[in-house]
Amino acid sequence: MSRTEPPTRWRSVLPHLDEQPPPDLTPPTAGGGSVQVNLPMQLVRQSVQQKEYWDIPAEVVDAYRAFRPTPLWRARGFERAVGARVPVYVKYEGGNISGSHKLNTALAQAYYYARAGVRELVSGTGAGQWGTALAAACAMFGMKCTIFMVGNSLRRKPYRGTLMRTLGATVHASPSTLTDVARRSEAGVNSLSLAIGEAVEYAARTEGAAFCIGSGETYSILHQSVIGLEAADQLAGLDAEIDAVVGCVGAGSNFGGIALPFFSAAATVGTRPPLLVAAESSTTPKLTRGTYAYDHTDATGTGPMEAMYTIGSAYPIPDSHSAGLRFHGAAKVLSAMRHRDQIEATAVGQVEALEAGRLFTRGEMVLPAPESGHALAAAARLAGSGAEGNNGPLRAEKGVVVCVSGHGYLDLGAYQQLLDGELSDEAPDAQALRLAMGDLQRVDRLAEAGSGHER
């Protein structure tokens, strides 16, 4: 790949997994049938086929050229600020209209849906990056766009809504007055799961519309592989050695995008991959405190159930500024890899995350999103005294590459609270976690019962 051109192929991790993720479970509907998810066939193929490289459509490559390749540099100022023992390299995805990595898959999905005849795309968004990315992609491919954004997040960041509307999208605060799922929700509930549930319901009843998702699906993670492919090439150009790769995790597209190409490259030549460390919010600790079970991806309770690390789709997630990480479950590909100890996870509180973001801003003159601050905090741990992972302490000995998934220029309210000493962390309630996970079908128990889903 030329260092002045974006990749022309995505790279899938599926051919390199010893076991594929367990199949989805489709629950029955009231009429006795099942919910059908209408995906363009190419997205279906990208989710299941054991094909390593996928050609990126020429129209999508042309769109990528406006902002890719994205920059990678050694963050020496940040290293000094956090007392790093080893180099820390940063892959920055915030330099596009959406302000985040989300545009990589939004452009691809809008392209495929438009070719399939869909006229309107509908989705839910937490922090707003995905909603902005989808609005931009729909504008580029001549489609309507409707977004349900987590209400607390939209109130904190009203200009996210303004930007989406400037791009032609219709934006609703979730919970809204438009859907049955919102009317049935508990008072005061604000979650990405609910926003997604509203979008699913709205799309199902709107002619010419389709629901699309920006993070947890296998095809979305495939599209994000451009991040890791570029990063590996750029690190090689710098003769840089790294033994740890870090990204923040909501459902997983950012972490999957930066990390999985390194896993695939190592599997191809039979070497040990770097530490692949997912940094999650301590308010939503699915990979560090969750269970590997079948759960819903949204709040409707009607869509397919996926095998995921989850704290339960019914769990009332504590509020935080990292709305993009406030999703109850992790992508099924990442969950399967976590189950086999192929990736690690560590939880970070929002105070530590925003403090890492503040130090990064002063050292590197780039303001990261609160979500990205979680990855920077984890990278600082790995490059310093170490981090706590799934199976014990984690420590980088050569170098760390971390994905700064987006900018924080619409998150200055969070930094203001940090500077004023008003920011705090709300720990998940242990009893509520147990209740939310208690009735879920654990994957290992299904295996013991002879379901064919083996650990």
Side-chain angles (χ1 to χ4, degrees):
M1 180 186 77
S2 166
R3 295 189 185 96
T4 60
E5 283 287 309
T8 57
R9 296 188 299 174
W10 295 303
R11 189 174 190 175
S12 173
V13 75
L14 293 181
H16 298 293
L17 300 182
D18 295 333
E19 294 180 9
Q20 296 303 300
D24 296 350
L25 300 180
T26 304
T29 64
S34 62
V35 173
Q36 299 299 316
V37 178
N38 295 317
L39 283 177
M41 281 307 302
Q42 191 69 343
L43 296 182
V44 175
R45 296 184 189 101
Q46 291 170 359
S47 297
V48 298
Q49 286 188 5
Q50 302 297 297
K51 177 180 176 181
E52 184 166 10
Y53 289 100
W54 296 81
D55 290 338
I56 304 175
E59 293 91 334
V60 177
V61 174
D62 286 343
Y64 281 172
R65 287 193 177 99
F67 61 99
R68 306 209 70 89
T70 58
L72 180 143
W73 70 93
R74 182 173 174 182
R76 296 178 185 273
F78 182 67
E79 291 172 14
R80 290 191 292 271
V82 300
R85 299 171 294 99
V86 297
V88 177
Y89 298 91
V90 171
K91 180 67 167 166
Y92 181 57
E93 291 290 309
N96 62 67
I97 183 65
S98 74
S100 83
H101 70 292
K102 297 289 189 177
L103 194 56
N104 296 323
T105 186
L107 289 166
Q109 291 191 49
Y111 169 82
Y112 289 125
Y113 277 104
R115 285 179 61 90
V118 172
R119 300 189 299 275
E120 178 181 359
L121 289 179
V122 186
S123 197
T125 190
Q129 289 98 330
W130 168 243
T132 307
L134 191 63
C138 286
M140 180 166 290
F141 289 102
M143 307 172 75
K144 292 177 63 179
C145 182
T146 298
I147 299 296
F148 290 84
M149 183 168 174
V150 173
N152 281 349
S153 183
L154 182 57
R155 284 184 284 275
R156 287 192 182 116
K157 297 185 287 186
Y159 294 123
R160 271 287 172 195
T162 301
L163 180 53
M164 286 184 257
R165 290 192 294 271
T166 299
L167 289 163
T170 299
V171 182
H172 303 289
S174 174
S176 73
T177 60
L178 301 177
T179 66
D180 291 337
V181 68
R183 285 187 281 271
R184 292 193 303 266
S185 66
E186 295 181 17
V189 170
N190 266 259
S191 72
L192 183 53
S193 177
L194 178 58
I196 290 171
E198 289 208 77
V200 169
E201 179 185 327
Y202 182 90
R205 68 170 191 245
T206 303
E207 185 178 356
F211 169 77
C212 69
I213 195 71
S215 185
E217 296 307 313
T218 304
Y219 53 81
S220 179
I221 294 174
L222 171 71
H223 303 154
Q224 296 294 353
S225 66
V226 293
I227 304 172
L229 292 170
E230 286 182 3
D233 184 75
Q234 290 164 321
L235 289 166
L238 296 173
D239 292 325
E241 287 190 86
I242 58 101
D243 58 349
V245 183
V246 184
C248 61
V249 171
S253 67
N254 158 65
F255 171 72
I258 185 72
L260 298 192
F262 286 91
F263 182 90
S264 296
T268 297
V269 296
T271 59
R272 186 180 182 87
L275 284 172
L276 307 178
V277 182
E280 64 183 7
S281 168
S282 61
T283 68
T284 320
K286 54 262 187 174
L287 290 170
T288 54
R289 295 178 64 183
T291 186
Y292 191 36
Y294 277 95
D295 198 3
H296 297 287
T297 58
D298 62 80
T300 65
T302 57
M305 299 180 72
E306 297 182 0
M308 65 176 80
Y309 269 86
T310 176
I311 54 174
S313 57
Y315 177 73
I317 297 169
D319 194 19
S320 80
H321 282 284
S322 298
L325 305 187
R326 294 178 69 246
F327 187 64
H328 64 277
K332 55 188 173 185
V333 168
L334 298 181
S335 294
M337 296 179 72
R338 160 71 176 85
H339 199 54
R340 296 182 63 81
D341 294 323
Q342 293 169 322
I343 65 173
E344 297 280 349
T346 192
V348 177
Q350 68 172 346
V351 175
E352 182 185 359
L354 283 160
E355 179 60 23
R358 184 186 69 83
L359 294 175
F360 187 79
T361 302
R362 295 184 64 175
E364 304 301 324
M365 297 296 134
V366 172
L367 180 71
E371 293 81 4
S372 304
H374 290 71
L376 288 166
R381 294 177 186 175
L382 289 164
S385 59
E388 189 65 30
N390 310 332
N391 301 301
L394 306 172
R395 187 177 165 100
E397 301 297 341
K398 295 180 180 179
V400 180
V401 61
V402 54
C403 185
V404 174
S405 57
H407 70 61
Y409 298 111
L410 294 174
D411 299 281
L412 286 169
Y415 283 99
Q416 183 67 51
Q417 283 191 276
L418 176 75
L419 296 172
D420 291 344
E422 298 174 353
L423 201 63
S424 62
D425 290 309
E426 183 179 347
D429 181 81
Q431 178 63 17
L433 281 173
R434 284 193 292 271
L435 288 173
M437 294 186 287
D439 293 332
L440 297 176
Q441 301 179 68
R442 283 178 46 183
V443 173
D444 53 357
R445 288 178 180 168
L446 288 175
E448 292 166 5
S451 70
H453 305 316
E454 297 180 359
R455 185 184 177 113

